[in-house]
Amino acid sequence: MPKQTTKKQPLWQRYLLTGAALGLYFGLFFRPLREPSLRLAVLLGAVAALVTTLLPLFRGERPSFTTFLKTLAGHFFKYTLLLAVLELRHPVHDWGGRTAVSAMTTLMGAVGGLWLAWEQDSKRLSISSKQ
């Protein structure tokens, strides 16, 4: 019997599909229970960025202050953007119901997946160019 080979999906396709599936999940099961709050998204984004930027310090990593600030700012931007999109579900639900929310979150999940794939690919390229 010949050996079967499986073709591995490209990174961007896997991340796009995973992001879209997560977005669809967040849209299909959304129920507006409170008023949206951009202030809450910014506050939680700041806390999440601070925690994820400080964790490597406890493992003994000592980046330069500039690198630390760039990492903190990048994490803050990403987390706050994600949380703001989740808060955006409220007005989208008021406008178009569950279908509109599902479409919006699926699209944003796919875009987020592509963004993550691009970051992973650029990290891989920068590591291979240093070697």
Side-chain angles (χ1 to χ4, degrees), residues 31-37 40 87 90:
R31 290 187 199 175
L33 299 174
R34 61 174 175 76
E35 290 298 313
S37 172
L40 182 62
E87 288 299 306
H90 292 86

Side-chain angles (χ1 to χ4, degrees), residues 82-100:
L82 170 68
L83 292 168
V85 166
L86 290 176
E87 288 299 306
L88 184 62
R89 294 179 301 175
H90 292 86
V92 171
H93 186 273
D94 293 343
W95 172 75
R98 183 168 285 162
T99 303

Side-chain angles (χ1 to χ4, degrees), residues 67-127:
T67 302
F68 176 80
L69 287 180
K70 284 181 182 179
T71 303
L72 181 64
H75 286 323
F76 173 72
F77 176 73
K78 290 175 203 171
Y79 289 138
T80 303
L81 183 63
L82 170 68
L83 292 168
V85 166
L86 290 176
E87 288 299 306
L88 184 62
R89 294 179 301 175
H90 292 86
V92 171
H93 186 273
D94 293 343
W95 172 75
R98 183 168 285 162
T99 303
V101 172
S102 297
M104 185 268 300
T105 55
T106 301
L107 177 65
M108 295 310 293
V111 168
L114 286 175
W115 185 3
L116 188 57
W118 175 77
E119 281 186 338
Q120 292 293 320
D121 201 39
S122 62
K123 281 180 189 177
R124 185 178 50 83
L125 290 175
S126 71
I127 290 171

Side-chain angles (χ1 to χ4, degrees), residues 7-10 15 18 32 48 50 62 69-70 77 84 97 107 112-113 123 127-129:
K7 187 175 179 182
K8 192 175 178 182
Q9 269 187 316
Y15 279 54
T18 302
L50 194 58
R62 298 286 181 233
L69 287 180
K70 284 181 182 179
F77 176 73
L107 177 65
K123 281 180 189 177
I127 290 171
S128 66
S129 67

Side-chain angles (χ1 to χ4, degrees), residues 46-68:
V47 170
L50 194 58
V51 168
T52 56
T53 307
L54 288 175
L55 280 177
L57 297 178
F58 292 110
R59 290 186 296 216
E61 296 177 23
R62 298 286 181 233
S64 70
F65 187 68
T66 306
T67 302
F68 176 80

